[in-house]
Amino acid sequence: DSGVTQTPKHLITATGQRVTLRCSPRSGDLSVYWYQQSLDQGLQFLIQYYNGEERAKGNILERFSAQQFPDLHSELNLSSLELGDSALYFCASSPRGFTTEAFFGQGTRLTVV
Amino acid sequence: AQTVTQSQPEMSVQEAETVTLSCTYDTSESDYYLFWYKQPPSRQMILVIRQEAYKQQNATENRFSVNFQKAAKSFSLKISDSQLGDAAMYFCAYRSALYGGSQGNLIFGKGTKLSVKP
């Protein structure tokens, strides 16, 4: 158990809908990263938050947004969903200060039908 | 931009034998970190081993070791005495050290699927 909790584990929704994925980082970790894992694109970095502020952006679509709350949990919002958004979405967290390691949650499997 | 390449989509090894997974990367930075992650069928991403670019000594974690060739930008993973539980997808990943620990996403290769035959 990495200590990073993601909910829900599975999500099935229709095209055009909006969903919210939730991530609780390890206790004390200030950084949260979101990744998308799909068969054709592999593991892609989406966005990073550090202590409530957006720190880095990767290949995140405009239909997607994220935020990190004062209690450090983070939410990834996906809207106007398309079939191609079906993927495994991972959250990872890392401690404050100098560190090399990121701890991953078990992911949310999103299926858009 | 940095890239990570894993040229072996699939590999197979006999139980108790040794297997080496390849990874090459491209970067203009001199300070960075390299990782191997394991993803079993449970989907959990598990850190196997990490290497700091400034260290010449190759990292070792029990049966797992790396061959880090900085000039060649190569970072291979050797698994000794392979076990059935080693069967998984293995991802090579790069992380810049440019911004320290508070920033720095992982850049992943496409992965290598390792099968272990009994």
Side-chain angles (χ1 to χ4, degrees), chain A residues 31 33 35 37 40-41 45 48 55 90 97-102 104 106-107 109, chain B residues 33 35 37 39 43-45 47 50 91 95 100-106 108 110:
Chain A
S31 271
Y33 305 80
Y35 292 86
Q37 184 178 25
D40 55 342
Q41 294 293 324
F45 167 67
Q48 180 207 357
R55 230 5 126 83
F90 280 107
F98 188 75
T99 181
T100 62
E101 188 166 348
F104 282 79
Q106 288 202 304
R109 168 73 70 189
Chain B
Y33 309 98
F35 306 85
Y37 278 88
Q39 187 179 37
R43 312 180 319 197
Q44 180 76 50
M45 293 291 287
L47 178 64
R50 64 170 163 260
F91 292 94
R95 185 182 191 187
S102 66
Q103 185 172 341
N105 55 283
L106 293 163
F108 288 92
K110 295 286 189 184

Side-chain angles (χ1 to χ4, degrees), chain A residues 2-104:
Chain A
S2 67
V4 179
T5 303
Q6 287 189 249
T7 56
K9 286 189 170 52
H10 302 276
L11 196 51
I12 301 175
T13 189
T15 54
Q17 294 298 306
R18 171 189 167 95
V19 297
T20 296
L21 312 184
R22 182 187 169 101
C23 169
S24 294
R26 295 186 331 149
S27 177
D29 285 3
L30 297 181
S31 271
V32 169
Y33 305 80
W34 286 97
Y35 292 86
Q36 178 194 58
Q37 184 178 25
S38 60
L39 283 175
D40 55 342
Q41 294 293 324
L43 272 153
Q44 298 277 318
F45 167 67
L46 296 178
I47 197 164
Q48 180 207 357
Y49 278 83
Y50 180 80
N51 202 20
E53 293 186 1
E54 181 183 305
R55 230 5 126 83
K57 233 172 183 178
N59 300 320
I60 188 167
L61 299 172
E62 285 192 10
R63 300 183 285 110
F64 296 0
S65 65
Q67 55 184 324
Q68 186 178 28
F69 295 86
D71 66 353
L72 301 177
H73 91 271
S74 178
E75 292 181 355
L76 179 67
N77 300 296
L78 314 175
S79 61
S80 303
L81 284 167
E82 303 173 358
L83 296 177
D85 297 327
S86 296
L88 190 54
Y89 291 85
F90 280 107
C91 167
S93 72
S94 60
R96 69 185 302 165
F98 188 75
T99 181
T100 62
E101 188 166 348
F103 298 86
F104 282 79

Side-chain angles (χ1 to χ4, degrees), chain A residues 42-43, chain B residues 3-11 20-26 35-38 45 73 75-77 88-94 107-114:
Chain A
L43 272 153
Chain B
T3 59
V4 177
T5 303
Q6 293 179 249
S7 59
Q8 306 153 316
E10 295 188 25
M11 291 282 286
T20 299
L21 308 184
S22 301
C23 173
T24 58
Y25 58 95
D26 189 26
F35 306 85
W36 279 97
Y37 278 88
K38 171 185 177 181
M45 293 291 287
K73 296 180 183 174
F75 183 61
S76 61
L77 174 70
M89 280 291 287
Y90 286 82
F91 292 94
C92 179
Y94 172 101
I107 300 167
F108 288 92
K110 295 286 189 184
T112 296
K113 183 177 181 181
L114 178 66

Side-chain angles (χ1 to χ4, degrees), chain B residues 45-99:
Chain B
M45 293 291 287
I46 302 165
L47 178 64
V48 174
I49 198 165
R50 64 170 163 260
Q51 175 80 43
E52 290 86 350
Y54 64 85
K55 289 186 178 179
Q56 290 188 336
Q57 187 172 6
N58 289 322
T60 299
E61 289 286 343
N62 300 314
R63 298 182 294 108
F64 299 87
S65 62
V66 298
N67 184 3
F68 173 49
Q69 302 288 330
K70 191 172 184 179
K73 296 180 183 174
S74 170
F75 183 61
S76 61
L77 174 70
K78 186 171 83 170
I79 307 174
S80 304
D81 186 25
S82 296
Q83 300 175 0
L84 295 177
D86 295 332
M89 280 291 287
Y90 286 82
F91 292 94
C92 179
Y94 172 101
R95 185 182 191 187
S96 170
L98 192 59
Y99 301 103

